[in-house]
């Protein structure tokens, strides 16, 4: 089986639509860039202040003033634009960002995401995540289905929420799940696992879609 | 605007000062000024910045050298020393969402009494905050942030202090330039007046009190 | 971003639309687009602009042609026709202090629920407005402004819609570009992608839906 | 006697200090620029978005994109900077403007200025005046002492106020008056008029400064 993170990134890449403005979070979301279909052109925004970010064209071309939100050196496409953090988060909070893909620690039955702290253990801070989840037109959570065998899709988040906005899609290596008013709708299952496997690895109740599909990766 | 050497510039900052520091994970941070803060052991600082960067980079070095008593930031995850000092209760950490942090600083700099943001509503950071419902949607009142000093980094300045930033090194710098009693800008080059077009200027020189050249 | 001719662009705007129009007393106004609004007799408009300019200039021409039913502006003193239509009750005029007007538009564009400003506190424009005391000083809550369309003017654009403004013709244009469902930018020249440096861009192209060339 | 507006402009010019950032309103305040002492260098801000405005160097050099807040063509000094209206009013409201000189319709005993409308008669609107009076570090009102024989310095403004901030100085062709907590302090009288003339032309009570001077113009 492929490394889960590549399966997730590959599946998320299919969600991108031509012409979208997209912000990819650190970790698995960053990998999405490698799987974008050839016929799809998107613009990448990074919250540290750029639209038109691209991968570093080659080693040796690093510029100390051009990085992504994880401080990794990147490139820029012709026609890129830079701006300060106030405009950058204005773009995010103001609904001008079409899609954000973020990592997650937990998502619950209401579609609420928790991804910024584990009280008493790990407190990285929310960075731009709270603004991204609150403001982006579409939010996809890209995360492994479980961590150390523990389900990450839970009845109710035990970790502090990132936002009370319902995320739009959860993509794991096992399944694609769409949070809705009625609850979490299981839309796709990986060809590598059974429905039973998914249900066992999920604490939250899942509504099985009438149109349940095999996850294409 | 006055040109200063880095020693003189940092001498102006007293122990215990509230200092805004530009940069995003160290990119666009005033490293010459930060190194001098460490050299002069300016301590008990309250730092307002996007993050605490890395232990060996940007604001992170101030943390590692135990010169801060409080940080107001959006992220500390890349600097384990910050969390360690927080747990030891040596360092107070106030976490603010990045977009809220920059608007709070902008409000401080541009004379607003506060702003209403949807970010954080319903989460633990909303505890104790005033919620206002505007046209059916809840927003959180966030108050302005100001500082005694802002130390920022630009690529270029002219002799009037007009600043131009470079790529993603811009980030918090232009906003912080508006929000401190004394603003010290570190720049890589200082150009004659008139060589930067009025339309190219990112921060008008009137915001800048002192310029220091990067080493 | 799509290139349109001026006829197509103005055809998109229905009668009765809320339209933001850039410019300051006609300087930096999208004159080609304004002339076409008049030619196509787009009527019953609500106009959000800094001012109503002069009878023969900028937004002023829309007023003179009786195509607006309401204006939200900071100043009407340079266009006697505005006051005349106001007295005749043909035109509703909502006056907003200039700095408050631009912050209301910014709040609309950048997702804030409102801002607190000290401007206007204790004057007649504060009547019916919510006053909040922040650290001993009174501020007035001002709510966001958005529009169906923004028609703005820039000097140059690249083929991605990245805009650069010129001198004092910038004024309200970059802020309005963020705050309307559909944004039409009139520009004097359109350059190949890559000819405007990322640091020079005043308005990123993602805000711009359509570009029209100035006649 | 010199035209009152030039007397006022000339006297106001003496208030400018080296290095200040100054915004001059339309009308009499604009004239101040012609009387600035040679040893004083100030920067002029105009609320339509420039610092470093200068008079038009000569006819024929007008540029359609470079005007003052009255839409008159101006020049720019080397080192000028342009910006949008949000930053322009941020500079004003945020306390970064050292001085504004504005015209007035009325000023009252509390030092309150009214200068943006005459209900039922003339409603130009406040433009940037409310922000300027609220935000500038120092506010000087430059106006004629009376209009059509009616005092403009009154007990209490009958016209709508521009701000509840007390202005710092009133300069007319007859007198220089400093509003204070205690009331309006008469500081200087024009050599062309008597104290009696001033008192007769003023509706408000004036506190005569112990250090009353002759207005130098």
């Amino acid at each position: 089986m492929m490394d889960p993170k590549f399966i997730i990134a590959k599946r998320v890449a299919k969600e991108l639509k031509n012409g979208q403005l997209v912000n990819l979070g650190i970790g698995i979301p960053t990998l999405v860039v490698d799987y974008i279909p050839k016929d799809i052109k998107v613009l990448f925004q990074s919250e540290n202040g750029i639209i038109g970010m691209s991968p570093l064209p080659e080693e040796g071309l690093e510029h100390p003033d051009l990085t992504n939100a994880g401080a990794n050196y990147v490139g820029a496409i012709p026609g890129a634009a830079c701006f300060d953090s106030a405009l950058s988060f204005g773009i995010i909070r103001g609904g001008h960002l079409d899609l954000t893909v973020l990592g997650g620690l937990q998502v619950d039955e209401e579609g609420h995401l928790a991804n910024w702290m584990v009280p008493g253990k790990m407190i990285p801070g929310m960075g731009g995540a709270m603004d991204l989840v609150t403001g982006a037109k579409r939010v996809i959570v890209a995360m492994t289905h479980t961590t150390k065998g523990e389900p990450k899709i839970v009845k109710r988040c035990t970790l502090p929420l990132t936002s009370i906005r319902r995320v739009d899609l959860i993509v794991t290596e096992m399944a694609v799940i769409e949070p809705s008013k009625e609850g979490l709708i299981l839309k796709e299952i990986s060809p590598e696992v059974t429905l039973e496997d998914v249900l066992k690895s999920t604490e939250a109740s899942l509504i099985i879609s009438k149109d349940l599909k095999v996850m294409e990766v | 605007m006055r040109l200063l050497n880095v020693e003189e510039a940092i001498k102006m900052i007293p122990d215990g000062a509230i200092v805004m520091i530009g940069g995003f994970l160290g990119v666009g941070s005033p490293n010459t000024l930060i190194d001098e803060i460490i050299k002069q052991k300016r301590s008990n600082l309250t730092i307002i910045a996007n993050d605490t960067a890395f232990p060996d980079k940007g604001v992170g070095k101030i943390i590692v050298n135990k010169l801060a008593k409080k940080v107001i930031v959006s992220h500390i995850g890349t600097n384990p020393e910050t969390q360690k000092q927080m747990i030891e209760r040596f360092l107070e950490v106030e976490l603010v969402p990045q977009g809220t942090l920059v608007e709070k600083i902008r409000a401080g700099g541009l004379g607003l009494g506060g702003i209403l943001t949807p970010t954080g509503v319903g989460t633990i950071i909303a505890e104790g905050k005033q919620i206002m419902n505007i046209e059916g949607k809840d927003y959180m009142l966030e108050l302005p942030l100001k500082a005694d000093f802002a130390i920022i980094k630009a690529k270029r300045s002219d002799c009037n202090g007009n600043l131009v930033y470079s790529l993603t090194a811009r980030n918090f710098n232009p906003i912080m330039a508006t929000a401190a009693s004394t603003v010290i800008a570190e720049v890589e080059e200082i150009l004659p007046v008139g060589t930067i077009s009025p339309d190219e200027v990112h921060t008008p020189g009137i915001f800048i009190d002192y310029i220091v050249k990067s080493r």
Side-chain angles (χ1 to χ4, degrees), chain A, chain B:
Chain A
M1 192 173 156
M2 216 172 156
D3 186 327
K5 66 188 179 195
F6 296 114
I7 298 174
I8 298 165
K10 217 170 154 187
R11 177 61 190 83
V12 168
K14 292 187 206 297
E15 295 294 316
L16 273 59
K17 288 186 182 60
N18 207 37
Q20 281 187 326
L21 182 67
V22 178
N23 180 299
L24 299 178
I26 299 169
I28 297 176
T30 305
L31 303 174
V32 170
V33 75
D34 296 329
Y35 298 101
I36 298 168
K38 285 245 164 84
D39 56 332
I40 297 290
K41 278 203 171 178
V42 297
L43 275 172
F44 289 106
Q45 192 249 16
S46 185
E47 64 264 35
N48 51 330
I50 184 169
I51 286 174
M53 190 174 62
S54 70
L56 189 68
E58 59 181 282
E59 263 193 68
L61 293 182
E62 298 83 2
H63 189 288
D65 296 336
L66 185 55
T67 58
N68 64 16
N72 302 113
Y73 294 115
V74 293
I77 62 167
C82 290
F83 33 81
D84 63 37
S85 299
L87 186 60
S88 193
F89 279 88
I91 289 168
I92 293 167
R93 196 182 41 234
H96 305 285
L97 185 70
D98 296 305
L99 173 65
T100 186
V101 183
L102 291 165
L105 297 171
Q106 290 180 331
V107 183
D108 66 19
E109 288 182 356
E110 294 192 74
H112 290 162
L113 168 68
N115 77 343
W116 69 281
M117 75 177 288
V118 181
K121 278 197 183 164
M122 184 192 64
I123 307 170
M126 68 293 281
M130 285 192 172
D131 295 286
L132 283 161
V133 179
T134 304
K137 282 188 199 154
R138 188 165 157 81
V139 177
I140 297 178
V141 178
M143 64 178 191
T144 54
H145 208 92
T146 57
T147 183
K148 296 173 192 166
E150 287 298 308
K152 295 171 74 174
I153 301 170
V154 295
K155 287 210 167 297
R156 205 180 162 79
C157 287
T158 53
L159 300 175
L161 297 185
T162 303
S163 174
I164 51 166
R165 176 246 179 90
R166 185 193 305 127
V167 302
D168 299 285
L169 204 69
I170 308 163
V171 176
T172 75
E173 75 284 15
M174 298 180 92
V176 177
I177 293 165
E178 190 181 279
S180 75
K181 268 187 197 170
E182 287 68 37
L184 301 177
I185 303 171
L186 179 64
K187 306 268 285 187
E188 298 177 23
I189 297 184
S190 158
E192 315 272 338
V193 299
T194 64
L195 176 59
E196 213 188 357
D197 292 333
V198 174
L199 295 176
K200 235 194 288 178
S201 304
T202 310
E203 183 197 297
S205 303
L206 295 178
I207 301 163
I208 295 155
S209 171
K210 285 172 195 161
D211 192 29
L212 184 67
K213 282 183 185 150
V214 174
M215 195 171 151
E216 274 181 63
V217 281
Chain B
M1 196 282 287
R2 246 187 77 202
L3 186 69
L4 281 187
N5 68 45
V6 63
E7 292 79 12
E8 293 171 319
I10 296 302
K11 261 186 199 152
M12 291 189 299
I13 303 178
D15 287 346
I18 302 173
V19 185
M20 288 179 181
I21 305 183
F24 190 111
L25 293 177
V27 178
S29 287
N31 289 317
T32 303
L33 290 164
I34 289 172
D35 287 344
E36 186 66 22
I37 283 177
I38 290 159
K39 199 173 147 200
Q40 293 191 21
K41 292 200 174 52
R42 203 60 73 247
S43 64
N44 254 320
L45 301 172
T46 294
I47 304 285
I48 300 170
N50 178 58
D51 52 69
T52 56
F54 303 93
D56 60 345
K57 222 180 152 188
V59 176
K61 294 196 252 185
I62 294 175
I63 306 299
V64 167
N65 283 277
K66 300 203 161 192
L67 299 175
K69 68 171 177 196
K70 180 176 180 179
V71 291
I72 302 173
V73 292
S74 77
H75 199 266
I76 61 169
T78 52
N79 191 341
E81 181 67 17
T82 310
Q83 190 171 323
K84 189 170 158 278
Q85 290 183 19
M86 179 176 70
I87 291 165
E88 289 165 355
R89 292 180 186 254
F90 176 82
L91 180 67
E92 185 188 344
V93 175
E94 186 178 331
L95 288 169
V96 182
Q98 206 167 124
T100 302
L101 182 60
V102 70
E103 283 298 315
K104 284 167 74 78
I105 297 168
R106 182 180 183 273
L110 303 189
L112 300 176
I115 55 107
L116 299 180
T117 179
T119 302
V121 168
T123 73
I124 58 168
I125 68 155
E127 284 166 18
K129 298 259 165 85
Q130 186 170 349
I131 304 297
M132 298 181 74
N133 191 286
I134 307 288
E135 289 162 18
K137 189 173 168 180
D138 280 342
Y139 294 88
M140 213 156 86
L141 175 63
E142 289 284 355
L143 302 183
L145 266 181
K146 298 189 85 161
D148 302 320
F149 290 84
I151 61 173
I152 63 166
K153 168 78 196 324
K155 194 78 177 176
R156 306 183 270 146
S157 144
D158 68 15
C159 300
N160 283 354
N162 287 312
L163 302 185
V164 177
Y165 306 95
S166 164
L167 301 167
T168 59
R170 192 181 323 182
N171 55 69
F172 275 70
N173 287 298
I175 313 300
M176 288 176 171
T178 68
S181 308
T182 302
V183 180
I184 308 171
E186 173 180 333
V187 302
E188 293 177 31
E189 55 174 348
I190 304 173
L191 296 163
V193 166
T195 57
I196 300 176
S197 140
D199 291 329
E200 268 182 279
V201 172
H202 292 140
T203 294
I206 60 121
F207 287 111
I208 311 304
D209 298 296
Y210 302 99
I211 295 273
V212 167
K213 274 193 87 168
S214 280
R215 268 182 193 154

